[in-house]
């Protein structure tokens, strides 16, 4: 899956405007994690990228996926920098901004987790959450993304697809510079419906089962699924 992701990103790179250097500012805020993908690069590299990963500490898989992808960005685009940002915790309305705390509780109570997952994975809840989150946090998310100035945005979390897709679209309209956003679904056999936003540049999945869900639940065009 990693090879497919990076090959597709590399092919799409011709449509982006890369950053002029590999500069990076460290950030100790627990909701953001900024790091240089290559701390040894000292000379400017026009092919380097500023990559913004959208993730949350709700299980180790999301952060691990982002970190692994960041390392591959450095291989393809030397001098690139990356940052991990939890926009839901920073800018989301209740109850979503309590995601990390809630996840820790629910992971210790599997029956409650199953109930929350089942209810939130219904079509009715999906539509309600979509409207609620977009109306409550899109402007703040758009502002935050613009302040960070990424060349590309990558979501590795299901709650960070619908709002960022709208925000990136609005940023593109406001600035006249295309800001691509990709989703990397870290689930395998099944996946929550909120993973699937059809406004992404590409949606990367690990199985045919997830591809089918993306097309059925998210109405993501097949040509966007890798």
């Amino acid at each position: 899956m990693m090879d497919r992701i990076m090959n597709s990103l590399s092919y799409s790179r011709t449509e982006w405007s890369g950053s002029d250097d590999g500069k990076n500012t460290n950030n100790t805020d627990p909701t953001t994690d900024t790091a240089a993908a290559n701390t040894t690069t000292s000379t400017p590299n026009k092919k380097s990228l500023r990559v913004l990963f959208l993730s949350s500490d709700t299980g180790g898989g999301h952060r691990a996926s982002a970190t692994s992808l960041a390392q591959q960005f450095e291989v393809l685009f030397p001098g690139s920098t990356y940052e991990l940002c939890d926009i839901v915790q920073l800018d989301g309305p209740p109850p979503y901004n309590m995601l990390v705390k809630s996840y820790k509780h629910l992971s210790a109570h599997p029956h409650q987790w199953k109930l929350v997952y089942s209810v939130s994975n219904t079509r009715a809840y999906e539509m309600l959450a979509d409207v609620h989150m977009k109306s409550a946090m899109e402007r703040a998310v758009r502002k935050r993304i613009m302040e960070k100035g990424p060349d590309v945005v990558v979501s590795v979390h299901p709650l960070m697809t619908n709002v960022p897709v709208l925000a990136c679209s609005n940023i593109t309209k406001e600035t006249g510079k295309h800001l691509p956003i990709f989703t990397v679904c870290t689930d395998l056999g099944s996946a929550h419906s909120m993973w699937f936003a059809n406004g992404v540049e590409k949606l990367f999945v690990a199985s045919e089962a997830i591809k089918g869900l993306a097309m059925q639940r998210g109405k993501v065009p097949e040509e966007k699924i890798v």
Side-chain angles (χ1 to χ4, degrees), residues 42-188:
S42 58
T43 57
N45 189 325
K46 291 184 178 181
K47 292 184 179 180
S48 65
L49 292 171
R50 287 190 296 266
V51 187
L52 179 61
F53 289 101
L54 305 179
S55 185
S56 181
D57 286 327
T58 50
H62 302 296
R63 178 176 288 267
S65 296
T67 301
S68 180
L69 284 167
Q71 293 170 350
Q72 293 302 311
F73 267 106
E74 164 54 24
V75 173
L76 287 175
F77 315 117
S80 293
T81 60
Y82 74 94
E83 181 172 356
L84 273 68
C85 184
D86 186 341
I87 56 169
V88 173
Q89 187 173 348
L90 288 166
D91 302 313
Y96 306 106
N97 57 0
M98 298 295 291
L99 181 64
V100 174
K101 183 177 180 180
S102 299
Y103 180 83
K104 291 178 180 178
H105 170 81
L106 291 171
S107 62
H109 300 81
H111 292 294
Q112 293 180 29
W113 167 255
K114 183 178 180 180
L115 176 62
V116 171
Y117 186 95
S118 298
V119 171
S120 66
N121 201 30
T122 60
R123 177 70 71 181
Y125 186 92
E126 179 188 353
M127 295 174 64
L128 178 64
D130 185 69
V131 172
H132 182 205
M133 294 179 74
K134 285 179 178 177
S135 61
M137 61 186 285
E138 189 276 328
R139 288 186 180 181
V141 170
R142 190 194 327 167
K143 179 181 178 182
R144 189 173 299 280
I145 292 175
M146 291 183 73
E147 288 174 347
K148 295 183 181 300
D151 297 308
V152 57
V153 178
V154 182
S155 173
V156 292
H157 197 281
L159 282 180
M160 302 185 201
T161 57
N162 61 338
V163 175
V165 163
L166 178 58
C168 287
S169 175
N170 286 334
I171 290 171
T172 295
K173 293 175 183 177
E174 290 178 11
T175 64
K177 177 184 176 181
H178 180 55
L179 177 58
I181 177 168
F182 298 84
T183 296
V184 178
C185 180
T186 58
D187 293 339
L188 299 176

Side-chain angles (χ1 to χ4, degrees), residues 1-11 68-69 72 76 204 226:
M1 181 177 178
M2 184 65 71
D3 289 341
R4 287 188 287 123
I5 293 172
M6 300 315 298
N7 286 339
S8 180
L9 291 175
S10 180
Y11 179 79
S68 180
L69 284 167
Q72 293 302 311
L76 287 175
F204 298 96
V226 180

